Amino acid sequence: MFTKKMKIVLLLFVLFCLADYANATPRWRILDSGAIEWQIDSRLPHYDHIEMSGLKVSTVLRYGVNGDGQFVMERSMIWPMLRTIPNNTHASLMQRFAIDYASLLLVNGMALNNEKVKSICIDGRLTVVSLFAIGYQNTGTARNRESVPVVELTRSFFPSTDKPMLCERYTVKNISSKPISVIVPFQKAVYKTDPAKGVDGSYTIVTSIQNKEDCLYTIAPKESLTFDASVQAYKKGEKELIVDIADEEHKRMAFVDKIWNNLSFVSSDPVVNTAFAFAKVRAAESIFATGGGFMHSPGGESYYAAVWANDQAEYANPFFPFLGYDTGNASALNSFRLFARFMNPDYKPIPSSIIAEGKDTWNGAGDRGDAAMIAYGAARYALAKADKKEAQELWPLIEWCLEYCKRKINASGVVTSDADELEGRFPAGNANLCTSSLYYDALVSANYLAKELGKQSSVSKEYARQAKVLKNNINNYFGSCIEGFDSYRYYEGNDILRSWIAIPLTVGIFEKKTGTVEALFSPRLWSKDGLLTQAGTDTFWDRSTLYALRGVYSAGARERAMEHMAYYSQQRLLGEHVPYPIEAWPEGNQRHLSAESALYCRIVTEGIFGIRPTGFNSFSLCPQLPDKWNSMRLNNVSAFAFSPFDIIVERQGNKIKTYVLRNGKPVKTYHTENGKDINITF
């Protein structure tokens, strides 16, 4: 039972957290362009890492500024389609490089020195602006001479959108009062990997400055020159690529602009708006053109050219139809096709992951509830994508997964599995809350989808009946008083709060919403890093925080959700490790896995706006306009057969007015209470 004393403790905890949040000085700031910038101040040293991806390459840039103001960086390169031996989940060619091209330049015959970084900017590129001096130091009369900057060097790093290459651009600007001479050297290093360790033998890696024949330049005051560099790799039978890096930069920024403009979110909170824009990029970029088709993969220097039942089928795929990114939709459909290959008449489990460009599988944790994950994601994807041909193709997979789950129901009417998506890191019993909740949502979606596909009415009615029974069983079996909160136990015998108690809220099971919301934001689970996986530990996985924020909005506790989402968004976008949601800590050192960014976006689409697909031409909408916002809008929504469309929500006294627009003109208008369901059909 949630006592008065516990409520007071909880209130004090929340006030402390919010006060700490309000008084914190973010390291980064948002620019008018939508980029974020770190203007270097005295808070040094500081180091961070960011992952960026293209269709044939991924890179984790480990960068930072030392205490003396010098920039440092190590490029961790990953080529997912250059497979290594053993060809398992982690078998992408990976190498690290710490080349400092600035140190190779000669300015007036001397090396650059005494670097002072001015700023670092992220906008789909990592751009570093530094000041450098030249000349002797610490010798003779130079010991007392003040170091005067002569050159401003701008370095930009970004992956090629479609080539196995990290691109780099360097701009040298003369900030002195006299002309300077600059020598940019020819530089090329070729590395041959061990042929015994490559599926295709030895791979060739080339790092180079892509300089013109004339390497000596004279730069007048305030003028500049630009040269390019790259890191690329290829297999036997291929050759080194000579490309226009300026064109590669244009294509990268065109991709970022497209993603930022599709499904744009506008609210009174610039941090949430910008975090949403960045999350879309990370969710969309981590797709690889493999021999098995487009594969959206988590990344993190571990997980490439492969798909998972949770990260892809459950987390990312239901989001892609809303984004309107064709490659994202193609990757989603391909992942379901890959899983469908493993349907079988004996109803043996579908593998948790399909790896190595589709040539192998991983199922090391046994049945994690993967069929429920796949059915949940495939049914939601099919409804939102609103492509009847695709939906008909996916229907047998959805049916098979639902039947598999049905056959795993225990005597208490909930679904059993060997583990959950945490794969034994924390106990999950023989039947966990996640699997049954996902199965419930899949049944609800299957009911809608069966109608769209013209199945016999008995099919949709049976799925609806099963969903109703399962919902009751979930509340009866998992519903429990845990640590004084009327919420859910995660599995039979569980008596410690777990972050995944938020799952029912995300699928429309609200019977325990009050106690669940209180438990999630209590000091037992909520920390400065978001939700702890289990009360009493220091482990956190962002995915549970992202699910919880979505669920709390859906449950109607929008002010509680907004407070914590604002805090979380500022931490991830403008704090000490930016700019995306992360996987976990301590495991993985807070890697920027891509599907977590899709989950952040779904807080907006499914939580704040409350969009729930109910057909190819219909959805339910439940806007949760926070008290501090007078309006919010979601532009260029690409889901459903009548897309693209916009949704605008405006405050009108104690109520809200909701518009659905097509081609800039309102086609549906609703006046409702804030947080009330609206059923929209076209």
Side-chain angles (χ1 to χ4, degrees), residues 121-271:
C121 179
I122 300 175
D123 63 354
R125 301 162 294 191
L126 180 72
T127 300
V128 185
V129 180
S130 298
L131 300 180
F132 286 90
I134 58 173
Y136 299 107
Q137 295 186 57
N138 301 322
T139 59
T141 59
R143 287 177 177 169
N144 298 316
R145 185 186 304 158
E146 183 179 357
S147 180
V148 178
V150 173
V151 163
E152 179 184 86
L153 178 66
T154 301
R155 294 168 272 203
S156 289
F157 307 88
F158 52 93
S160 168
T161 57
D162 59 0
K163 298 176 181 66
M165 176 185 293
L166 172 67
C167 302
E168 306 181 15
R169 304 213 77 195
Y170 294 79
T171 299
V172 182
K173 182 179 181 180
N174 181 0
I175 59 173
S176 73
S177 59
K178 299 178 181 179
I180 60 173
S181 68
V182 179
I183 296 177
V184 180
F186 290 107
Q187 193 275 354
K188 182 175 180 179
V190 179
Y191 304 82
K192 297 284 188 178
T193 66
D194 185 347
K197 295 181 179 180
V199 170
D200 296 297
S202 178
Y203 301 121
T204 302
I205 304 172
V206 179
T207 67
S208 66
I209 294 177
Q210 299 190 351
N211 198 12
K212 300 176 183 178
E213 291 184 4
D214 184 4
C215 62
L216 173 62
Y217 304 87
T218 298
I219 308 177
K222 298 183 180 180
E223 297 298 318
S224 61
L225 74 88
T226 297
F227 67 92
D228 301 315
S230 66
V231 183
Q232 61 176 291
Y234 54 91
K235 64 180 67 174
K236 188 179 295 185
E238 299 175 343
K239 59 182 180 179
E240 179 184 351
L241 299 174
I242 306 300
V243 303
D244 183 341
I245 299 296
D247 184 56
E248 293 299 317
E249 182 176 35
H250 173 76
K251 289 191 290 187
R252 171 67 177 176
M253 297 315 296
F255 162 77
V256 172
D257 288 344
K258 175 183 176 67
I259 298 302
W260 278 6
N261 289 327
N262 286 10
L263 195 68
S264 66
F265 174 55
V266 182
S267 76
S268 303
D269 191 325
V271 175

Side-chain angles (χ1 to χ4, degrees), residues 17 138 446 549 668:
C17 287
N138 301 322
L549 291 172
K668 299 281 185 179

Side-chain angles (χ1 to χ4, degrees), residues 234-461:
Y234 54 91
K235 64 180 67 174
K236 188 179 295 185
E238 299 175 343
K239 59 182 180 179
E240 179 184 351
L241 299 174
I242 306 300
V243 303
D244 183 341
I245 299 296
D247 184 56
E248 293 299 317
E249 182 176 35
H250 173 76
K251 289 191 290 187
R252 171 67 177 176
M253 297 315 296
F255 162 77
V256 172
D257 288 344
K258 175 183 176 67
I259 298 302
W260 278 6
N261 289 327
N262 286 10
L263 195 68
S264 66
F265 174 55
V266 182
S267 76
S268 303
D269 191 325
V271 175
V272 175
N273 297 346
T274 308
F276 181 79
F278 271 88
K280 287 186 295 178
V281 171
R282 183 68 194 129
E285 71 177 352
S286 192
I287 297 173
F288 303 98
T290 79
F294 286 126
M295 290 189 179
H296 184 271
S297 301
E301 297 178 272
S302 289
Y303 311 110
Y304 300 90
V307 295
W308 277 258
N310 53 331
D311 290 71
Q312 281 63 58
E314 179 191 341
Y315 304 166
N317 290 356
F319 171 68
F320 279 129
F322 291 86
L323 184 59
Y325 179 47
D326 290 343
T327 305
N329 287 328
S331 74
L333 181 60
N334 186 53
S335 72
F336 292 129
R337 285 171 172 165
L338 290 168
F339 284 118
R341 296 186 312 183
F342 295 91
M343 293 187 294
N344 60 85
D346 297 325
Y347 287 91
K348 295 178 181 178
I350 285 182
S352 301
S353 176
I354 299 169
I355 65 171
E357 301 184 81
K359 296 178 181 178
D360 204 351
T361 64
W362 178 86
N363 204 32
D367 174 16
R368 310 175 310 156
D370 301 285
M373 299 173 190
I374 295 167
Y376 165 92
R380 277 185 171 255
Y381 169 84
L383 287 167
K385 185 63 165 49
D387 183 313
K388 189 171 184 178
K389 184 178 179 181
E390 283 190 10
Q392 288 172 330
E393 180 183 353
L394 294 176
W395 182 253
L397 173 64
I398 295 167
E399 276 192 313
W400 189 94
C401 288
L402 293 176
E403 177 62 22
Y404 176 91
C405 292
K406 182 180 177 182
R407 294 182 180 212
K408 300 289 286 186
I409 289 177
N410 65 15
S412 298
V414 296
V415 187
T416 61
S417 59
D418 299 323
D420 66 357
E421 53 89 35
L422 285 180
E423 298 166 3
R425 294 172 177 88
F426 286 83
N430 295 319
N432 65 77
L433 182 61
C434 268
T435 299
S436 288
S437 296
L438 294 173
Y439 175 42
Y440 166 77
D441 191 271
L443 288 168
V444 173
S445 293
N447 165 44
Y448 296 131
L449 190 58
K451 296 174 184 177
E452 290 291 342
L453 295 179
K455 303 297 180 182
Q456 291 183 354
S457 61
S458 59
V459 176
S460 59
K461 288 179 180 178

Side-chain angles (χ1 to χ4, degrees), residues 593-625:
L593 298 195
S594 61
E596 277 74 0
S597 283
L599 288 178
Y600 183 91
C601 295
R602 291 177 66 185
I603 298 172
V604 174
T605 57
E606 298 173 33
I608 296 177
F609 282 87
I611 299 173
R612 207 284 180 218
T614 59
F616 294 161
N617 287 285
S618 65
F619 61 93
S620 61
L621 184 70
C622 186
Q624 299 284 351
L625 183 66

